[in-house]
Amino acid sequence: MAKVVCVLYDDPVDGYPKSYARDDCPQPARYPDGQTLPTPKAIDFKPGTLLGSVSGELGLRKYLEANGHQLVVTSSKDGADSVLDRELPDAEIVISQPFWPAYMTAERIAKAKKLKMIVTAGIGSDHTDLQAAMERNITVAEVTYCNSNSVAEHVVMSILILVRNFIPSHQWVLKGGWNIADCVSRSYDLEAMSVGTVAAGRIGLRVLRLLKPFDVKLHYMDRHRLPEAVEQELSLIYHTSLESLAKVCDVVTLNCPLHPETEHMINEQTLKYFKRGAYLINTARGKLCDRDAIVRALESGHLAGYAGDVWFPQPPANDHPWRTMPHHAMTPHISGTSLSAQTRYAAGVREILECYFEGRPIRNEYLVVQGGQLAGVGAHSYSKGNATGGSEEAAKFKKTVA
Ligand SMILES: NC(=O)C1=CN([C@@H]2O[C@H](COP(=O)(O)OP(=O)(O)OC[C@H]3O[C@@H](n4cnc5c(N)ncnc54)[C@H](O)[C@@H]3O)[C@@H](O)[C@H]2O)C=CC1
């Protein structure tokens, strides 16, 4: 019997939904590169329901209990008296979502003597100290591709929201007023701008494809260059450095994982490469950016806007400066947890668990760490080391606002 600890975000403030806005939740047949959607033997949830909050339990309880395992579900994840810390000593598997990450630091991994696997229900396993997982021979897996396109949609939305100055204009409507000049004095067309993505993996490439019809000039950098045919199809300009990309782009979108190579890649120094009035979109990870350097760049007008949904740590402190900095279009971390995406990653977690318990190999594309080293997609996209430093600050968040 295995103990599975699953850390999920809280239910909605009005309780777990009894009904939904739509009756169905359309899904693609396959991902764009041909990868199949998750293939568990069965699922015990209705697609399109809220699975990522504590009452949704990722649809796992029936399956785990029928196989004699124990499932502990909690949203209590930060601070020494958290339920997560209490349950860790005999946990075999820990599951969490990046939206409400269980920070699996070296200290926690040391405490979890029986831990064999850490699963990210989503994409992005930087909340786990990958170095410590490698040293303890713990498998780390994520549900590759499950929400890459969901995030790409959020990126395109965020670019338009900033460039068109949507939020201040919407606020004029809410406050009962009507001042066109006020709305448009920061509003531009995206058409003809230069847009660059830092990383052109599953999300970055999708963003480039979605933006192509806007008649923008498309730029990218990545440690792996795209095939020539793709570069030609999308008329892409490849850059070998952030400096060369940022110098020519009006909009920069970050789509690389957080790992020691990319931590704080946007900082006081690298922001100097950006054009005055550039927009920066970050739906990848909060810690790719130096928090205070972003605030200063917005306050001085060097950046015209910043948008995204990722913060560090998560949840961010109630007085985190990104909540109140000028010209931002931030949301809590939601882009990859639409009901559509939850359906896919809950099924993907079930597939990973079935493989684990039945002694079958976990798909290579889901692996981040295995056998004491980076593996599968992890070897392609991450670097060794640890990016969880400072995550204990998440304990400072207080649920003061309903
Ligand atoms: N906001 C959200 O809800 C979500 C955010 N994400 C974030 O987006 C990231 C990317 O996701 P995918 O595109 O699906 O992953 P992916 O693995 O397909 O792509 C990552 C790309 O980053 C590149 N890369 C890695 N290190 C780099 C570096 N130092 N410089 C330049 N390029 C580098 C890799 O070569 C790869 O092409 C995730 O790791 C995660 O942090 C992912 C899903 C949901």
Side-chain angles (χ1 to χ4, degrees):
M1 190 209 82
K3 182 197 253 191
V4 179
V5 178
C6 190
V7 174
L8 299 177
Y9 46 76
D10 284 320
D11 284 349
V13 285
D14 295 334
Y16 193 73
K18 296 189 177 62
S19 66
Y20 290 87
R22 294 178 42 86
D23 295 329
D24 67 352
C25 185
Q27 293 290 338
R30 273 177 181 265
Y31 297 118
D33 70 352
Q35 182 184 315
T36 55
L37 268 66
T39 50
K41 289 181 175 166
I43 52 167
D44 298 313
F45 58 83
K46 186 168 179 284
T49 52
L50 181 60
L51 301 163
S53 75
V54 284
S55 296
E57 300 185 322
L58 292 177
L60 293 175
R61 185 169 297 280
K62 191 171 162 204
Y63 160 71
L64 287 172
E65 291 183 350
N67 285 281
H69 305 299
Q70 185 192 354
L71 175 66
V72 175
V73 177
T74 182
S75 65
S76 165
K77 70 181 188 74
D78 298 304
D81 351 319
S82 65
V83 174
L84 171 62
D85 274 270
R86 206 166 64 217
E87 299 289 346
L88 272 180
D90 58 349
E92 186 167 326
I93 298 174
V94 170
I95 304 170
S96 78
Q97 305 159 105
F99 323 104
W100 188 254
Y103 289 108
M104 293 301 291
T105 56
E107 297 70 39
R108 278 181 162 161
I109 287 176
K111 233 190 203 182
K113 301 266 181 266
K114 296 189 173 167
L115 192 61
K116 300 260 174 47
M117 182 162 74
I118 302 171
V119 180
T120 302
I123 304 172
S125 296
D126 49 277
H127 56 276
T128 290
D129 181 333
L130 298 181
Q131 192 63 40
M134 284 187 264
E135 283 160 17
R136 266 280 305 280
N137 199 12
I138 292 167
T139 295
V140 180
E142 60 185 41
V143 190
T144 303
Y145 236 140
C146 65
N147 54 16
S148 301
N149 292 354
S150 325
V151 177
E153 290 182 8
H154 195 102
V155 172
V156 174
M157 174 184 79
S158 302
I159 293 173
L160 291 170
I161 280 176
L162 289 182
V163 174
R164 309 294 316 204
N165 203 35
F166 177 84
I167 291 178
S169 309
H170 182 61
Q171 280 160 350
W172 271 108
V173 174
L174 297 180
K175 62 191 180 198
W178 185 274
N179 187 313
I180 307 287
D182 193 88
C183 299
V184 301
S185 56
R186 293 183 68 88
S187 171
Y188 297 86
D189 290 352
L190 180 60
E191 183 183 19
M193 285 192 174
S194 288
V195 184
T197 174
V198 175
R202 293 168 183 81
I203 297 174
L205 179 57
R206 179 74 167 183
V207 168
L208 292 168
R209 284 193 190 288
L210 294 180
L211 287 176
K212 178 74 177 155
F214 282 87
D215 291 328
V216 288
K217 296 179 198 78
L218 295 172
H219 301 251
Y220 83 101
M221 62 168 280
D222 197 300
R223 63 186 189 184
H224 302 284
R225 194 158 176 176
L226 289 167
E228 212 181 315
V230 177
E231 287 191 356
Q232 278 171 8
E233 175 202 340
L234 299 173
S235 310
L236 301 180
I237 299 158
Y238 175 66
H239 296 262
T240 51
S241 71
L242 174 64
E243 179 174 3
S244 114
L245 177 127
K247 275 184 169 158
V248 293
C249 285
D250 304 287
V251 181
V252 175
T253 152
L254 306 181
N255 296 298
C256 60
L258 169 65
H259 52 84
E261 270 179 29
T262 59
E263 186 169 335
H264 288 165
M265 69 191 302
I266 308 295
N267 54 46
E268 197 76 45
Q269 179 55 36
T270 56
L271 276 165
K272 292 190 182 133
Y273 306 146
F274 285 64
K275 288 172 72 170
R276 182 184 164 272
Y279 303 92
L280 180 58
I281 318 297
N282 180 11
T283 51
R285 283 297 177 264
K287 232 214 267 189
L288 295 178
C289 297
D290 176 317
R291 185 190 75 172
D292 297 334
I294 294 295
V295 177
R296 285 192 292 272
L298 287 166
E299 284 174 351
S300 71
H302 186 58
L303 284 181
Y306 182 94
D309 66 333
V310 286
W311 307 66
F312 186 80
Q314 288 186 179
N318 306 70
D319 62 353
H320 190 294
W322 287 7
R323 294 179 187 270
T324 49
M325 63 191 179
H327 310 304
H328 82 78
M330 294 295 293
T331 63
H333 193 168
I334 55 160
S335 66
T337 184
S338 58
L339 295 176
S340 322
Q342 289 176 43
T343 296
R344 294 187 290 274
Y345 66 70
V349 171
R350 169 80 177 255
E351 178 189 334
I352 290 168
L353 293 177
E354 286 176 1
C355 290
Y356 175 86
F357 287 123
E358 294 167 21
R360 290 185 284 123
I362 294 169
R363 287 193 208 197
N364 206 38
E365 59 234 36
Y366 291 166
L367 292 174
V368 177
V369 171
Q370 196 177 48
Q373 52 193 337
L374 292 174
V377 72
H380 181 88
S381 296
Y382 293 84
S383 59
K384 290 182 179 172
N386 168 37
T388 63
S391 55
E392 65 285 351
E393 294 281 305
K396 286 189 180 162
F397 173 76
K398 299 273 173 292
K399 284 186 215 168
T400 49
V401 183

